[in-house]
Amino acid sequence: MTTAHELHARGLREHLAPALRALGLTGWRRTFVLPDDTHWMLLGLVERPAADRVPFTFDLSLVRRADWTAAGLPGHRPDPRVRHGVETWRARIGEVLPVDEDVWWEVLPGRRWRLPLDDAVAAVRHHGLPELRRQAESDRICTGETYLSPAELEEVNAALLTASVPRVRRAELADGALVLTGAWTRGDAVARTVLAGAARGFLSAGDDRYDTVRCRDSLGRELWTFPADG
């Protein structure tokens, strides 16, 4: 009898990889790239093998080609598993699906063993790739005035790191607010508390270009707003 592990390997080789390449992605098995002039739009296969099954999902990530080159990192393209601080954006595919939670698929023995593969490809086609393209286009279009220099941003991120809070990926001025973007979630009370402290520091500078600090997640969704008198 064919095992789930054997079906998983066969499914990747004969169905998943060809279907992803048919969507315009290049690569093989666990690393796929959507061609773009200014960014690497990456789809990384993530597996969680168990004794009798291999659940899998996808990481989505965006890396500016210029950032990769400037960092002096090797290779003609970054692997989705590389975490050198050069990613502009990163998310699990479940975060961009309507369910907005981690989603895993499994290939199991039986007549309908291909259905999870088809469902995974549909998720990439209808949600993963459109979000990658949207993130790349958003990154190409300057939505606000960059507020912090790279060195200043690193100082802020060093403070966040001590509290195990994800770093600020972007800080810019827009519509009278200082907008901070990072991989935070609304339910993360620690991140909210730490960012509230950071916001008080920014607001105490008395910069008349902004009177609030707004925090957004990596998908651009509003999380918290900290006013000058808050």
Side-chain angles (χ1 to χ4, degrees):
M1 178 179 176
T2 304
T3 68
H5 283 253
E6 291 169 335
L7 279 179
H8 176 78
R10 176 183 169 189
L12 296 187
R13 182 178 64 254
E14 298 181 3
H15 301 288
L16 187 67
L20 294 178
R21 287 196 291 273
L23 295 178
L25 290 152
T26 63
W28 179 252
R29 287 179 64 81
R30 290 167 179 80
T31 304
F32 296 88
V33 181
L34 192 64
D36 186 77
D37 291 338
T38 59
H39 294 75
W40 279 295
M41 292 184 270
L42 301 166
L43 180 76
L45 180 68
V46 180
E47 297 162 301
R48 188 181 289 168
D52 59 345
R53 60 190 63 200
V54 187
F56 70 94
T57 190
F58 298 105
D59 271 343
L60 307 170
S61 54
L62 188 71
V63 178
R64 298 187 191 104
R65 290 175 179 264
D67 288 351
W68 184 261
T69 301
L73 296 167
H76 67 287
R77 70 183 185 195
D79 187 288
R81 294 166 294 180
V82 173
R83 296 176 181 269
H84 287 292
V86 296
E87 290 172 323
T88 299
W89 174 79
R90 186 185 188 99
R92 278 284 172 86
I93 195 168
E95 296 177 56
V96 306
L97 295 177
V99 294
D100 190 22
E101 62 183 26
D102 212 10
V103 173
W104 293 78
W105 292 273
E106 295 180 6
V107 178
L108 299 174
R111 294 177 58 187
R112 300 163 66 86
W113 68 274
R114 282 187 53 181
L115 285 182
L117 296 165
D118 294 337
D119 187 54
V121 171
V124 172
R125 175 190 296 113
H126 297 298
H127 299 281
L129 296 188
E131 185 60 33
L132 277 170
R133 292 188 178 101
R134 190 187 75 81
Q135 291 288 340
E137 189 60 28
S138 176
D139 193 55
R140 277 190 284 265
I141 299 173
C142 182
T143 57
E145 176 188 350
T146 299
Y147 183 68
L148 299 177
S149 70
E152 291 168 330
L153 195 56
E154 283 308 309
E155 289 181 10
V156 175
N157 285 329
L160 297 183
L161 182 62
T162 62
S164 299
V165 172
R167 66 189 181 90
V168 177
R169 295 181 181 274
R170 187 165 63 248
E172 55 192 9
L173 297 170
D175 300 324
L178 172 59
V179 182
L180 307 179
T181 301
W184 312 303
T185 58
R186 184 174 296 279
D188 190 338
V190 173
R192 188 186 188 284
T193 299
V194 173
L195 288 165
R200 286 192 295 270
F202 287 126
L203 292 166
S204 68
D207 192 320
D208 59 10
R209 291 176 295 175
Y210 63 92
D211 56 12
T212 59
V213 176
R214 289 161 40 198
C215 298
R216 295 175 176 170
D217 68 12
S218 57
L219 297 179
R221 297 174 294 201
E222 296 288 341
L223 296 176
W224 312 292
T225 298
F226 303 107
D229 57 353

